[in-house]
Amino acid sequence: MLTTSVVLGGGLFAAGAAVAADTPSAGVTSAVIQPGMVSEKVDVVGKGTVDAGLFTLKTKDGLLQTYCIDADNPVYLNSGAEYHEADWGASSLGANAKAPMIRWILDNSYPHVNLTALATAVGVDSLTAEEAAAGTQAAIWKFSDDKSVTLHNANATSLRDYLISDKNKGIAAEPKPSLTLTPDSVSGKSGSKIGPFVLNSSAAEVKLTVAGSAADKAKLVDKDGKPVGATLAGPVAKDTQLFLDVPGGTPDGAVTLSANASTTVPSGRVFMTDVDEDGNHSQTMILASSDKLSVAATAKATWKQGKGALVNSTAKVECANNGVRVSVTNSGDEAATVTVDKQQVAVQPGKTESVLVKVAEKAKYDIKVAGPNGYAKEFTGVLDCKVGVTPTGAPTTPATGGGTTTPSGTPSTGAAHPAPSTTSAAPGTGGLAQTGANSNTPILAGVAGALVVAGGAAVFVLRRRGRHGRTTA
């Protein structure tokens, strides 16, 4: 998200900026869940009979396949909710010691491993895509939600038991983001290096551009002040720092820094939604496979010459601390008094101060920041850190029997064909037809409408939706 700012007096004025904490304009920012799954029915203790398996998310130029790590939250189909890529720390994985076990499952099961090789590893004669997806989801729920699952198929059961056995040693490292450039805005004085912007990416190369009416005044450099070219060859070092060098005496101005790449998003990345207009929040997903996608990140640098405070703020969800941490930086040469959610903090020149704003689980937050000379910024979102907590007022979905949210039908008999282990598998056809549902009907993980199958290929009816929570000026 690009925060539009203008200089006013001795401070940075960013009135009306509303952004989601921990959700920069970076990586995959718009992925819409599709009405279909690769799945089978399973019995979950406390939930009844649901479908378990792979969801498909659609971006502007490719597909993602995901499993659920948030079984007690519903999925809102046709709500316009868009998923965005996020770090583990912004989800229940941030405080989950079993997160490495989940990542091991993703790297050692379907669709990352093809069905033939997976069946051999498990010691069964064969696995269908539906069996593999259901067994994998059941194993993930064991570590993400502590759910006890009974599968209806012996091969799927064997796979689940294999994935949660002692063979699972875990993979401790969180996967790299597809592309992030943080923070979304920085400020400083001309005659200095302005930054840093912190770049992370899984891409083989990242293209960088500096644009704006004052672009000829700012030179992109690294932390040592050496010029940075238009292309960074990968792998990009973790937390690569970038700065804009603005000569002394340069008139007040601003530029936009953009990063672009083409990459396959690493398995294990978390995908979350923002709160929609009705306060709904769809369940959190974890990535199993990805097409090669175009990803981008954008941020802004602003500088001024005169004296005064120059304030910027960022926010990051901290699930381990049950809240949102707001950090305020003063790049000016005078102290600033800043209000963060009714708490006042004094920020000295060249310093950063932070405030942890406590937020109830599954609750919406709206954190306002105000500073000198009209500086204002707002962070909104929902805290979704713990499993087993149902949002207040969230509708419940009966597992069996009547009701408008109850699905009916049986899994398709046409199993998806496995892809080689080095490629993403095509979305399958094992979904259920949904009946009696409207555009606001929630469904639990594993419940979705069937994909249309023609000539062995899945045909999707797709539509782009505008993203919630945009930054405005």
Side-chain angles (χ1 to χ4, degrees), residues 258-347:
S258 298
N260 293 271
S262 179
T263 187
T264 298
V265 185
S267 63
R269 291 295 291 167
V270 167
F271 279 79
M272 308 178 72
T273 66
D274 295 332
V275 179
D276 67 17
E277 290 90 342
D278 299 319
N280 300 322
H281 179 257
S282 283
Q283 67 181 212
T284 303
M285 307 281 190
I286 193 163
L287 185 68
S289 71
S290 166
D291 288 343
K292 194 169 188 179
L293 307 175
S294 297
V295 289
T298 307
K300 187 168 186 176
T302 305
W303 62 86
K304 66 186 295 291
Q305 295 186 83
K307 291 184 175 295
L310 194 56
V311 173
N312 255 319
S313 60
T314 61
K316 185 177 181 65
V317 171
E318 290 188 357
C319 284
N321 292 316
N322 303 310
V324 177
R325 184 171 299 280
V326 178
S327 297
V328 182
T329 299
N330 181 4
S331 302
D333 48 22
E334 292 181 2
T337 299
V338 179
T339 302
V340 179
D341 193 45
K342 301 179 182 179
Q343 302 180 61
Q344 282 199 339
V345 57
V347 188

Side-chain angles (χ1 to χ4, degrees), residues 340-373:
V340 179
D341 193 45
K342 301 179 182 179
Q343 302 180 61
Q344 282 199 339
V345 57
V347 188
Q348 297 301 316
K351 300 296 184 180
T352 298
E353 302 291 343
S354 68
V355 174
L356 179 67
V357 180
K358 292 286 189 177
V359 182
E361 179 62 23
K362 298 295 188 290
K364 295 168 61 177
Y365 59 82
D366 187 347
I367 302 169
K368 295 180 174 63
V369 182
N373 301 295

Side-chain angles (χ1 to χ4, degrees), residues 167-241:
K167 293 184 182 295
N168 186 338
K169 304 300 183 183
I171 300 174
E174 180 176 357
K176 281 186 175 183
S178 61
L179 180 65
T180 58
L181 184 64
T182 54
D184 63 349
S185 64
V186 297
S187 57
K189 295 283 189 178
S190 56
S192 65
K193 292 192 304 180
I194 299 174
F197 293 105
V198 180
L199 177 70
N200 281 288
S201 181
S202 62
E205 65 176 29
V206 177
K207 296 186 181 302
L208 302 168
T209 57
V210 178
S213 58
D216 60 332
K217 305 293 192 300
K219 181 173 65 175
L220 189 63
V221 298
D222 64 15
K223 63 181 181 180
D224 298 319
K226 297 178 181 178
V228 174
T231 301
L232 283 181
V236 176
K238 187 178 187 298
D239 295 335
T240 293
Q241 292 189 355

Side-chain angles (χ1 to χ4, degrees), residues 425-473:
T429 60
L432 297 179
Q434 183 183 358
T435 59
N438 59 31
S439 62
N440 293 318
T441 301
I443 59 174
L444 291 176
V447 181
L451 292 177
V452 178
V453 179
V459 180
F460 298 94
V461 179
L462 307 173
R463 60 193 176 104
R464 288 289 309 278
R465 293 187 177 96
R467 188 166 189 269
H468 297 293
R470 262 182 226 282
T471 300
T472 57

